[in-house]
Amino acid sequence: HPDECTEDIVDVALKYNLPFAIVPCCVFPDLFPSRQLTFTKKNKTNTESFGRSEKEYLPVRNYSEFLHYLMDKSDSFSMATLPFEGK
């Protein structure tokens, strides 16, 4: 398992268009506070920004959020579950 370098592996593979497979393990939220999931929400209550989209950010704090964060890096990614117990 790659521990702290999981995201670096993904980023280098993207940069150089390389195939890769990872099995993320630990999230390390305090070590990587800049990791955030981005959500878009429509603002319908404020007349000044009616119909505009606003972005909301959620810090990546758990394993499920980390998986979503990594998957959001590219539409070409796919995820699979390995046929044995564990993360």
Side-chain angles (χ1 to χ4, degrees):
H1 67 23
D3 272 347
E4 292 100 332
C5 66
T6 301
E7 186 173 5
D8 294 329
I9 292 168
V10 173
D11 290 343
V12 168
L14 278 172
K15 182 176 180 177
Y16 294 103
N17 198 29
L18 298 170
F20 71 97
I22 56 170
V23 180
C25 181
C26 305
V27 178
F28 299 104
D30 295 331
L31 190 59
F32 298 101
S34 63
R35 289 179 177 160
Q36 296 182 337
L37 291 171
T38 305
F39 296 94
T40 303
K41 85 172 191 182
K42 284 276 193 181
N43 185 343
K44 294 183 181 178
T45 56
N46 184 342
T47 55
E48 270 186 41
S49 60
F50 180 77
R52 293 185 190 162
S53 296
E54 290 185 13
K55 289 188 177 181
E56 287 187 11
Y57 302 94
L58 174 70
V60 173
R61 305 289 305 164
N62 62 48
Y63 186 72
S64 176
E65 292 168 351
F66 188 39
L67 294 179
H68 285 285
Y69 171 80
L70 293 172
M71 292 296 294
D72 283 349
K73 288 183 170 277
S74 174
D75 290 336
S76 67
F77 290 171
S78 62
M79 186 174 4
T81 302
L82 300 174
F84 51 84
E85 288 190 37
K87 285 187 176 179

